[in-house]
Amino acid sequence: MSDLETRPEVTGSLKGGDEEKDEVVDSVDVEFEPVIKLEEVEVKTLEEDEEPLFKMRAKLFRFDKPLKEWKERGTGEVRFLQHKQTKKIRLLMRRDKTHKVCANHYITPEMQLSPNVGSDRSWVWNVTADVSDGEPKAETLAIRFANTENANLFKEKFAEIQKLNVERSKKNEDRGNEEPEETPEVEKKSQ
C-alpha cells in the first residue's frame, strides 16, 4: 500500500471464533497538498463604472426569424445600468450560474414595449444593436416575469429610462457635443 491509502487497524481476535467479532477501525492520517498554487484573478465585467438603477429576475427570449419561433436566451436578473460619467443607461442581463451576457443594449426612444400575445406578464420589443453575442445585431426580444406586478414595474421603469436617455442626448445636442451613438461594450472573452 502507498502512504496515501488508508490502512485499517484490526482489533480483536484474528482467529475466526464466534466469541469475539473482528472490528476494523480506519485511521485517517492523510493530508493532501495542492500540486499547483493558483492566484486569485480579478475579472473585469465592464460594470465597475456603472450604477444599477433597477434589478429584477426574468426569462429572456429572442425571435428566430428564419425558423419563425421564439428561442430561450436565458434566465437571470435583468438590470438597468447607468454609466457614472456619460450617464447613458443600458439594459444588461446575464444568465444564472454561467453569468454569460444574454442581453446588452442601450434603451433608445425608438423602442416600443408591446404586450406579448396571450400573456399579461411578458413584453416584446425590437433592438437595433444588441451586443450580447459580441457583434451589434438587430433582434426582437421578449421578456417574461414571474407575475403581472413585476411585468408592469419593468414597463414603468423602461419608460422612465427612455425619457432619461432622451433628456441626456438633448442636453448634449444643446451643448453642441453630441456623441455618436455607440453600442455598449462587451467583456472580452479570455482564451
Side-chain angles (χ1 to χ4, degrees), residues 52-190:
L53 302 177
F54 176 84
K55 174 169 67 169
M56 187 175 290
R57 194 162 165 68
K59 186 179 278 193
L60 189 74
F61 300 86
R62 73 172 177 82
F63 190 73
D64 190 339
K65 290 177 185 173
L67 296 175
K68 296 183 178 165
E69 65 182 11
W70 289 100
K71 300 272 185 168
E72 186 177 330
R73 203 83 180 283
T75 302
E77 285 191 337
V78 61
R79 295 180 290 165
F80 292 121
L81 301 173
Q82 183 175 33
H83 197 274
K84 291 177 182 172
Q85 279 120 11
T86 65
K87 301 297 184 198
K88 287 184 181 178
I89 304 169
R90 67 178 173 142
L91 180 144
L92 178 74
M93 185 170 174
R94 291 182 181 272
R95 292 183 183 116
D96 289 338
K97 297 180 186 171
T98 63
H99 299 291
K100 186 175 183 208
V101 176
C102 56
N104 183 17
H105 57 82
Y106 287 116
I107 305 298
T108 62
E110 298 83 29
M111 292 180 188
Q112 292 290 327
L113 274 187
S114 55
N116 195 0
V117 178
S119 177
D120 61 346
R121 57 190 182 115
S122 62
W123 301 104
V124 178
W125 73 98
N126 291 312
V127 179
T128 56
D130 183 67
V131 289
S132 58
D133 295 327
E135 297 290 323
K137 185 177 169 186
E139 295 275 10
T140 300
L141 300 174
I143 193 165
R144 186 175 67 206
F145 296 92
N147 54 46
T148 308
E149 294 81 28
N150 287 354
N152 290 333
L153 187 61
F154 175 80
K155 183 180 181 181
E156 291 168 11
K157 198 65 174 176
F158 192 94
E160 180 185 325
I161 301 280
Q162 273 185 316
K163 288 177 187 172
L164 289 173
N165 274 344
V166 168
E167 290 171 7
R168 183 206 51 81
S169 63
K170 282 184 181 178
K171 284 180 185 176
N172 284 340
E173 284 176 12
D174 293 344
R175 284 189 247 156
N177 50 334
E178 172 60 28
E179 304 160 8
E181 196 57 41
E182 58 196 50
T183 56
E185 293 183 43
V186 178
E187 63 185 87
K188 304 290 185 237
K189 294 178 181 172
S190 58

